[in-house]
Amino acid sequence: MPLNIDWQQILLHWMNLAILIGGLYFLLYKPVKQFMGRREEHYRDLDQQAQEKLQQAEQLRAEYQAKLDQAEEEIRQARAQAQQSAQASADAQLAQAEEQAQQIIVQARAEAENSRERIRRESQRELRELASAAARKLAFQPEADPFDQFLDLAEGGEGHEKR
């Protein structure tokens, strides 16, 4: 054998190497590869779950935003309805106040008319009394001027001198 090469030893070393590689493959490489695959799958699941939760959160946010917009719209409508109700109430109160004012005016006019009529009657009565008193005085005082006597009576004085 040249160079002191023993083919049998080389073959045994190759066999040991193949057994070592096979054993290491089954004992280390395959379990580590499976562990790494499971770990990768686990992180992929976690990422997928996080994405799903993110989508759910986004959907919830959109739903809450829609509910918030709807609530704001309801509040706006309620405000508008309250304003309309307040305006209607104010209009009703204004109409009622105007009606009361008209009634007060009518009543005041009626009272004024009654007062005017009463004053007219009283003044007519007083004039009749003055005229009758003047007529009596004229009838009993023939020496004086009747016009001057009437003026004296009308002025409220008795015994004014002639001018």
Side-chain angles (χ1 to χ4, degrees), residues 140-157:
F140 293 116
Q141 296 178 359
E143 72 275 349
D145 184 23
F147 184 71
D148 286 338
Q149 288 175 354
F150 177 77
L151 287 178
D152 287 342
L153 284 175
E155 290 177 356

Side-chain angles (χ1 to χ4, degrees), residues 67-79:
K67 287 181 181 179
L68 184 61
D69 292 342
Q70 183 181 5
E72 287 176 357
E73 180 65 24
E74 289 175 1
I75 289 170
R76 188 190 62 76
Q77 289 175 353
R79 277 188 188 151

Side-chain angles (χ1 to χ4, degrees), residues 5-78:
I5 296 179
D6 188 11
W7 291 102
Q8 192 177 19
Q9 284 293 326
I10 291 177
L11 197 56
L12 281 175
H13 283 296
W14 274 102
M15 192 82 118
N16 278 337
L17 183 63
I19 292 173
L20 180 63
I21 289 175
L24 288 177
Y25 176 77
F26 286 111
L27 291 177
L28 291 177
Y29 182 73
K30 193 172 181 182
V32 168
K33 184 123 172 123
Q34 287 176 350
F35 173 76
M36 294 298 284
R38 283 192 308 253
R39 182 172 161 216
E40 187 177 321
E41 183 71 26
H42 174 71
Y43 284 118
R44 203 174 305 130
D45 289 341
L46 285 178
D47 186 44
Q48 185 179 2
Q49 289 174 0
Q51 289 295 329
E52 289 173 1
K53 286 182 181 179
L54 183 63
Q55 287 176 352
Q56 288 175 353
E58 193 65 32
Q59 287 176 346
L60 281 175
R61 188 191 65 75
E63 289 175 10
Y64 287 143
Q65 185 64 37
K67 287 181 181 179
L68 184 61
D69 292 342
Q70 183 181 5
E72 287 176 357
E73 180 65 24
E74 289 175 1
I75 289 170
R76 188 190 62 76
Q77 289 175 353

Side-chain angles (χ1 to χ4, degrees), residues 88-108:
S89 176
D91 290 344
Q93 287 179 352
L94 183 62
Q96 184 180 11
E98 287 177 358
E99 183 179 325
Q100 287 177 350
Q102 288 298 326
Q103 289 175 354
I104 290 171
I105 290 171
V106 167
Q107 185 179 9

